[in-house]
Amino acid sequence: MKAAVKNTHLNYVGGQWRDASAGMANVNPSDTRDVVGHFASATPQDVADAFTAARHALLAWSSASPLVRSELLSAVGEALLARRAELGALLAREEGKPLLEATAEVQRAGQIFRFFAQEALRLQGETGPSTRPDVDVHVTREAVGVVGLITPWNFPMAIAAWKIAPALAFGNCVVFKPAEWAPACAWQLTQLLVAAGVPGGVFNLVMGPGSTTGAALAANAELNALSFTGSQATGRSLAHSLAGRGVKLQLEMGGKNPLVVCDDADLGVAVDCAVQSGFFSSGQRCTASSRVIVTPGIYDKFVQTLTTATAQLRVGDALHSSTQIGPLAHQQQLSKVLDYVRIGQAEGARLVAGGRALRLEKPGHYMEPTLFVDAKASMRISTEEIFGPVVSVQRASSYADALQQANDTPFGLSAGVVTTSLATARHFQRHAQAGMVMVNLPTAGVDFHVPFGGCKASSYGAREQGTHAKEFYTRVKTAYVR
Ligand code: ADP
């Protein structure tokens, strides 16, 4: 793409803001007449220069006092928290997430930076006796090296934060490529890091398409580790090419998260969990639940109440405080999700709410929250990740059948159960094949200080977030000293 207009937002390479001949317009999905900015697309040379700068900066950064790293992260965390209203509005404007959720995401990003500011100081090792006399063993952790970070558009602040903060905390240098549909949050984060005094080369921003900028990042010989969040197709192809080169990998690749509703569930809790899991953030969360599996004793009541609740959701401009459900992030996303509605109807699931694109006062990618019932476990709407405001309800003959249907997926990120039985809750916690289990809670909505990740095809490599983040962002050294 040739930049028709001057780029307003530049890449950050080797401590310098750098323009490019090509750029991408970032358009507000709530009002497509509103252009957030023009973002320079990094060339393969920009990416190569970012890696060279990162490699040069690595020794000084990784051997600097952890206090230096801690104070940098702390300053960024405080700035995010102080500016959360303004940056939340930016996130809502570029991605379409309602203001309340967008502001909460910026707050979470701030908390993540503050958390890893402390983690930088807590990187302790182990000492012990050797089997040989007069020899001590020291087990320490050190930076992995130059780390590539590739992020998706659906959490442009939080996911960026939970990769950037631990990478820098433990002494790595970073080349960061955000998603092409949501570069403004990444660019603002870079501004905050620069304002906080990040040394040149330690942190580099390369914006642009995955097929060119992302591919150049993944191909660079200086890449020591890659943390990626995105689609299964991209994650798998990155894994194929990088594992053979010995690049350390961490991949988060989505889910098809089940929410099981049992006969003994509190109906209000069950409907609330289904609405939040399925429709909030327009279903564009890898922890969203687009399949609800319901046992027979509560099925009819649940379907009736959920149908009413779905029809009452307020869809609108993400920047309006009364909006519950914003637009989809992009026209392509809307088309893909509408295709799934047609697929569900063709497969014979019963559409009881929504199903159409919405025309509102402003031109945007709006869609009605959509509910299918009587869906079968084998249908594509029950097995494929939709990533939109579409929920399908499947009938189960018993709790055991519901659990079996819940686990019948290649994915394993999050799984929820709604029940008032302690025995059922504990059974589900043990037997759900997922990295995260929610009891009487929506499948989406996680804390910032504990591990995040899944099993099966959802995730690969060490967990993100919390104290577990160091497993990916450090490597272990065992020293013998006489
Ligand atoms: P989504 O469907 O959520 O957009 P993608 O996997 O396409 O998921 O994108 C997630 C991130 O991966 C984005 O930053 C995107 O630009 C990047 N990406 C896409 N294709 C490639 C690729 N071939 N190499 C490296 N990064 C890529």
Side-chain angles (χ1 to χ4, degrees):
M1 286 153 284
K2 199 83 187 143
V5 286
K6 199 170 155 30
N7 288 320
T8 51
H9 295 74
L10 310 186
N11 291 300
Y12 190 69
V13 176
Q16 304 290 327
W17 294 100
R18 195 187 271 202
D19 203 355
S21 59
M24 291 177 299
N26 181 9
V27 174
N28 176 352
S30 298
D31 182 349
T32 53
R33 298 164 303 186
D34 174 31
V35 176
V36 179
H38 292 269
F39 292 75
S41 288
T43 61
Q45 188 60 52
D46 294 333
V47 175
D49 292 347
F51 273 98
T52 304
R55 179 62 61 199
H56 278 135
L58 184 64
L59 180 61
W61 182 244
S62 58
S63 50
S65 160
L67 195 56
V68 171
R69 302 196 290 265
S70 176
E71 282 174 352
L72 174 83
L73 298 181
S74 189
V76 174
E78 295 307 330
L80 282 165
L81 292 173
R83 291 175 57 188
R84 61 179 165 250
E86 170 210 339
L87 295 174
L90 176 72
L91 199 167
R93 186 174 161 219
E94 83 161 342
E95 199 267 352
K97 190 171 291 188
L99 201 51
L100 205 65
E101 285 175 77
T103 307
E105 183 179 332
V106 175
Q107 174 159 337
R108 180 170 159 201
Q111 287 162 332
I112 289 168
F113 270 92
R114 286 208 307 201
F115 177 85
F116 284 106
Q118 297 309 309
E119 282 293 283
L121 301 171
R122 284 192 206 110
L123 196 63
Q124 293 174 353
E126 301 153 36
T127 56
S130 164
T131 53
R132 285 165 278 173
D134 288 333
V135 174
D136 292 328
V137 179
H138 299 164
V139 182
T140 53
R141 286 181 181 272
E142 52 192 36
V144 177
V146 178
V147 175
L149 307 177
I150 298 181
T151 55
W153 45 265
N154 63 332
F155 282 91
M157 278 289 183
I159 295 181
W162 85 47
K163 294 184 193 297
I164 294 168
L168 296 179
F170 302 130
N172 301 283
C173 290
V174 168
V175 180
F176 170 42
K177 197 211 86 68
E180 43 274 61
W181 294 350
C185 288
W187 188 86
Q188 283 293 346
L189 271 176
T190 307
Q191 286 273 340
L192 296 183
L193 280 155
V194 172
V198 69
V202 168
F203 179 84
N204 301 273
L205 172 72
V206 290
M207 302 177 288
S211 56
T212 52
T213 312
L217 185 156
N220 194 285
E222 296 294 336
L223 182 68
N224 297 122
L226 176 73
S227 180
F228 163 87
T229 302
S231 66
Q232 200 189 12
T234 307
R236 283 208 168 150
S237 98
L238 287 169
H240 274 295
S241 58
L242 296 182
R245 282 169 39 202
V247 174
K248 191 173 183 183
L249 280 175
Q250 179 180 59
L251 309 172
E252 289 296 342
M253 298 169 289
K256 188 67 184 176
N257 312 292
L259 178 70
V260 169
V261 175
C262 300
D263 282 355
D264 60 18
D266 178 305
L267 185 64
V269 172
V271 170
D272 189 47
C273 286
V275 166
Q276 287 199 43
S277 305
F279 299 125
F280 279 28
S281 295
S282 301
Q284 301 176 125
R285 298 188 279 192
C286 45
T287 48
S289 178
S290 61
R291 58 187 183 120
V292 185
I293 304 162
V294 186
T295 52
I298 196 171
Y299 189 92
D300 291 339
K301 256 188 309 182
F302 175 80
V303 161
Q304 194 184 14
T305 317
L306 180 60
T307 307
T308 308
T310 303
Q312 285 171 350
L313 289 167
R314 291 185 303 276
V315 180
D317 186 333
L319 285 162
H320 287 175
S321 56
S322 63
T323 294
Q324 288 176 291
I325 311 292
L328 283 103
H330 198 273
Q331 177 59 44
Q332 265 171 262
Q333 194 56 23
L334 176 61
S335 305
K336 191 188 106 182
V337 177
L338 289 171
D339 278 348
Y340 271 110
V341 175
R342 285 187 279 275
I343 290 167
Q345 286 177 299
E347 285 179 314
R350 199 151 59 82
L351 183 68
V352 294
R356 293 169 306 183
L358 262 181
R359 270 182 187 280
L360 301 180
E361 203 183 313
K362 291 176 181 165
H365 311 307
Y366 299 105
M367 179 177 170
E368 295 170 334
T370 298
L371 183 62
F372 281 108
V373 300
D374 302 339
K376 298 278 174 285
S378 57
M379 291 176 176
R380 283 182 64 192
I381 55 166
S382 310
T383 52
E384 296 175 18
E385 188 174 44
I386 297 176
F387 231 61
V390 178
V391 170
S392 50
V393 180
Q394 297 168 219
R395 195 185 284 271
S397 58
S398 62
Y399 163 71
D401 179 35
L403 178 64
Q404 196 276 328
Q405 289 190 40
N407 285 336
D408 185 16
T409 167
F411 292 106
L413 188 57
S414 177
V417 68
V418 188
T419 179
T420 50
S421 155
L422 181 61
T424 305
R426 285 179 60 77
H427 188 274
F428 190 83
Q429 183 183 338
R430 289 203 187 103
H431 296 283
Q433 293 168 4
M436 296 177 289
V437 172
M438 309 294 185
V439 178
N440 295 319
L441 288 165
T443 54
V446 297
D447 286 359
F448 68 87
H449 65 304
V450 289
F452 176 97
C455 58
K456 293 158 81 176
S458 288
S459 304
Y460 180 87
R463 286 283 183 268
E464 303 205 66
Q465 286 208 139
T467 55
H468 285 242
K470 65 175 172 292
E471 299 301 332
F472 180 72
Y473 291 103
T474 65
R475 63 181 178 211
V476 170
K477 179 175 276 177
T478 310
Y480 298 84
V481 181
R482 188 168 63 179

